[in-house]
Amino acid sequence: MSTPSRDPDVARVESAIEAAARRGDFDDLPGAGKPLDLPDTDDPDWWVNQRIASGDIDSEALLPVVVLLRKEYERRDETLAALPDEKAVREYAADFTERVHEDRRANPFQRMLAPAWDGDDAVARWHRVRPRRAPEPPEDARPVPESAPRRRWWRFGRRPQS
């Protein structure tokens, strides 16, 4: 009996695996000795579903873009409250609306649509939802930090009073 000729790459890989097993490289792997949690039916995506169930993958990332845009639109008050000024609000609204239009161009026949958002409406909503801050005092009313004692300018060139 002769052994069938093997591909040299297969032989090299198998010998590397056998050598690693003899060294004990596979002895302390996580899940060693535990049965695999395989589904009863033939599911080609069983490993993806298992990763989602374990929490390794954010399930929101698997949603269609239109659903993510609608969720972002529903949470817009939280986003607006964190923005510092009207310019940032307008830029955010323009960016959001551009992403909505990109999704509509990419999927022209979808039934669910995310709403576009006008910059003026965003600014008006920002004024309603932003946290109320105490008004900052005018520039000339702010205390000046004193690092060194101040010298009076009128002392120079005048006679001391007696």
Side-chain angles (χ1 to χ4, degrees):
M1 283 199 224
S2 66
T3 59
S5 62
R6 295 189 340 184
D7 184 17
D9 292 333
V10 173
R12 186 172 35 88
V13 169
E14 285 182 0
S15 66
I17 291 173
E18 290 172 7
R22 274 184 263 130
R23 284 192 311 265
D25 291 347
F26 303 127
D27 291 347
D28 296 329
L29 293 176
K34 297 179 184 174
L36 292 175
D37 185 21
L38 298 175
D40 296 334
T41 60
D42 183 30
D43 182 12
D45 298 328
W46 66 269
W47 61 277
V48 173
N49 295 331
Q50 191 175 18
R51 295 278 307 270
I52 291 171
S54 69
D56 290 343
I57 297 175
D58 181 19
S59 59
E60 256 193 29
L62 303 173
L63 294 174
V65 175
V66 67
V67 175
L68 294 174
L69 288 169
R70 289 178 69 93
K71 284 184 174 227
E72 183 180 348
Y73 187 78
E74 290 170 4
R75 294 188 295 247
R76 67 190 180 276
D77 288 348
E78 299 164 16
T79 305
L80 288 176
L83 295 176
D85 56 10
E86 287 188 17
K87 181 182 178 197
V89 172
R90 288 183 190 283
E91 288 173 357
Y92 172 71
D95 175 64
F96 178 81
T97 301
E98 179 58 32
R99 288 184 284 136
V100 167
H101 290 306
E102 284 177 16
D103 181 56
R104 288 180 185 176
R105 285 189 295 269
N107 305 300
F109 298 112
Q110 68 185 358
R111 291 179 173 218
M112 180 187 291
L113 297 175
W117 202 14
D118 181 51
D120 294 332
D121 294 338
V123 169
R125 190 168 191 97
W126 176 71
H127 282 293
R128 287 194 305 268
V129 300
R130 71 181 174 157
R132 297 289 176 214
R133 298 182 185 133
E136 292 189 22
E139 188 68 34
D140 55 342
R142 292 183 184 165
V144 176
E146 293 194 29
S147 57
R150 296 178 64 181
R151 297 190 308 178
R152 294 187 201 135
W153 61 271
W154 59 85
R155 281 190 182 181
F156 300 108
R158 294 190 180 214
R159 282 191 259 154
Q161 294 180 358
S162 39

